């Protein structure tokens, strides 16, 4: 499983193409709800050797008969080269499909979101040729959904919200509201959401909390993530057992030699989870004149 938040922030629109309706409503932009959505190839490469790919590309057919091309870009940080690439995407898509293009940028941090939301003009200052105006979804404008009722109202939007608020102080409450609802959700619907959130949280501290919630609240699911969590739990248990035994070995040697072990030293030894360090202390314990001396070269 790819563990990049970048993938989750745009793949969710492939998984739930109708999500754009909820996002545009939150952003205060009025678009007719799509009557159908088509996922299009994301390769914008031409015959030249420069490869260009938009993250996700959707065709939205609407009730008013004016289809849109929605390009979704996940942006993890400020990139001065991106606006030019986005302008290229817009021009290319308009030329290739003869449909009006729209760019949605999804971010996980406010600074990047505010940077991406700026209007960028191309051309001479006296007479700009074109202006880039992306829509931006991020922690600054996505709803913080901490109530299971809000999650049930729009599960796809709640999933995107959980991903964009990976750094939010209430991330635990946000994620708990997700598992509360997913407990009563068919597994075929819940599985992709579980995976998307795990992917979207990346290496943020909230990712570990999500994995624990899935292991406890959704333990009856047999998704790839659930199996992965169980495998990790077994591996962590083995590592903890190895460290515990190594700590006991260090203390046993000191005890056999009649070396007094102060409580602070005992706590440091038993609190160490690194088997390699404990093995080093074990060797030192054979000759150290005092318990404290096993740490002296640390």
């Amino acid at each position: 499983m790819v563990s990049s938040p970048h993938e989750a922030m745009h793949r969710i629109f492939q998984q739930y193409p109708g999500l754009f309706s909820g996002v545009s409503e939150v952003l205060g932009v009025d678009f007719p709800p799509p009557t159908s959505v088509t996922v299009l190839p994301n390769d914008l490469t031409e015959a030249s050797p420069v490869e260009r790919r938009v993250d996700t590309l959707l065709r939205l057919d609407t009730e008013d008969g004016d289809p849109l091309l929605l390009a979704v870009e996940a942006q993890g940080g400020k990139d001065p080269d991106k606006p030019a690439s986005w302008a290229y995407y817009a021009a290319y898509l308009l030329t290739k499909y003869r449909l009006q293009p729209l760019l949605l940028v999804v971010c996980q941090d406010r600074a990047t979101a505010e940077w991406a939301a700026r209007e960028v003009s191309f051309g001479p200052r006296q007479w700009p040729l074109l202006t880039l105006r992306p829509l931006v979804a991020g922690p600054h404008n996505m709803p913080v959904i901490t109530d299971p009722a809000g999650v049930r109202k729009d599960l796809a939007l709640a999933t995107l919200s959980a991903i964009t608020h990976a750094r939010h102080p209430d991330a635990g409450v946000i994620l708990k509201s997700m598992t509360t609802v997913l407990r009563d959700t068919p597994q075929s619907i819940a599985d992709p959401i579980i995976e998307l959130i795990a992917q979207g949280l990346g290496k943020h501290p909230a990712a570990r909390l999500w994995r624990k919630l899935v292991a406890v609240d959704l333990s009856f699911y047999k998704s790839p993530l659930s199996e992965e969590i169980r495998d990790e739990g077994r591996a962590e248990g083995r590592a903890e057992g190895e460290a515990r035994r190594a700590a006991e070995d260090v203390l046993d040697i000191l005890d056999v030699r009649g070396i007094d072990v102060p409580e602070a030293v005992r706590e440091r030894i038993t609190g160490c989870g690194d088997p390699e360090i404990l093995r080093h202390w074990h060797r030192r314990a054979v000759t150290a004149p005092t318990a404290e001396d096993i740490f002296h070269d640390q």
Side-chain angles (χ1 to χ4, degrees), residues 1-271:
M1 182 185 71
V2 178
S3 60
S4 167
H6 179 278
E7 293 297 309
M9 286 192 288
H10 72 85
R11 273 205 317 116
I12 187 173
F13 288 88
Q14 298 178 22
Q15 187 75 35
Y16 305 100
L19 172 60
F20 180 66
S21 290
V23 173
S24 62
E25 182 179 346
V26 169
L27 298 180
V29 184
D30 184 23
F31 288 102
T35 54
S36 67
V37 177
T38 306
V39 179
L40 301 176
N42 66 341
D43 190 350
L44 308 185
T45 308
E46 296 189 88
S48 64
V50 178
E51 182 178 300
R52 299 181 188 271
R53 292 180 185 272
V54 66
D55 288 334
T56 285
L57 181 61
L58 305 174
R59 172 180 169 141
L60 308 182
D61 291 291
T62 63
E63 294 176 348
D64 63 6
D66 293 326
L68 293 171
L69 286 178
L70 176 64
V72 183
E73 283 279 284
Q75 192 65 27
K78 299 177 184 179
D79 182 349
D81 294 329
K82 270 296 182 179
S85 296
W86 292 337
Y88 170 87
Y89 297 165
Y92 179 91
L93 293 172
L94 181 60
T95 302
K96 179 176 181 178
Y97 293 99
R98 297 297 175 182
L99 297 174
Q100 294 303 319
L102 181 66
L103 173 64
L104 173 66
V105 182
V106 184
C107 309
Q108 279 184 310
D109 70 277
R110 187 184 185 98
T112 301
E114 291 177 346
W115 164 83
R118 299 173 308 153
E119 289 188 4
V120 179
S121 295
F122 298 90
R125 174 177 54 81
Q126 300 88 336
W127 195 270
L129 176 63
L130 60 90
T131 300
L132 181 73
R133 295 183 62 206
L135 281 173
V136 178
H140 66 304
N141 58 14
M142 285 292 97
V144 178
I145 303 176
T146 57
D147 179 11
V151 175
R152 290 190 182 92
K153 182 179 178 181
D154 192 332
L155 198 50
L157 182 64
T159 301
L160 180 65
S161 176
I163 292 171
T164 55
H165 290 294
R167 303 177 183 179
H168 196 280
D170 291 332
V173 182
I174 294 169
L175 296 177
K176 181 64 177 178
S177 69
M178 293 296 304
T179 56
T180 297
V181 173
L182 292 178
R183 278 202 301 266
D184 304 323
T185 302
Q187 186 170 356
S188 60
I189 297 173
D191 277 353
I193 291 174
I194 293 170
E195 300 288 335
L196 278 166
I197 293 177
Q199 190 177 41
L201 296 178
K203 296 182 179 180
H204 294 296
R208 186 169 182 83
L209 174 59
W210 177 245
R211 300 175 84 82
K212 288 181 179 179
L213 286 171
V214 170
V216 175
D217 292 356
L218 307 175
S219 58
F220 49 87
Y221 282 161
K222 302 299 181 183
S223 69
L225 177 62
S226 300
E227 295 300 325
E228 184 181 323
I229 289 172
R230 280 187 275 274
D231 289 343
E232 287 179 357
R234 287 190 284 267
E236 288 177 1
R238 287 193 296 270
E240 290 173 0
E242 182 182 351
R244 184 173 60 253
R245 289 189 295 272
E248 291 171 354
D249 290 343
V250 174
L251 293 172
D252 284 346
I253 287 182
L254 294 172
D255 181 59
V256 168
R257 293 184 59 218
I259 302 294
D260 179 62
V261 182
E263 189 59 31
V265 173
R266 185 179 299 275
E267 289 180 359
R268 182 172 177 183
I269 293 171
T270 57

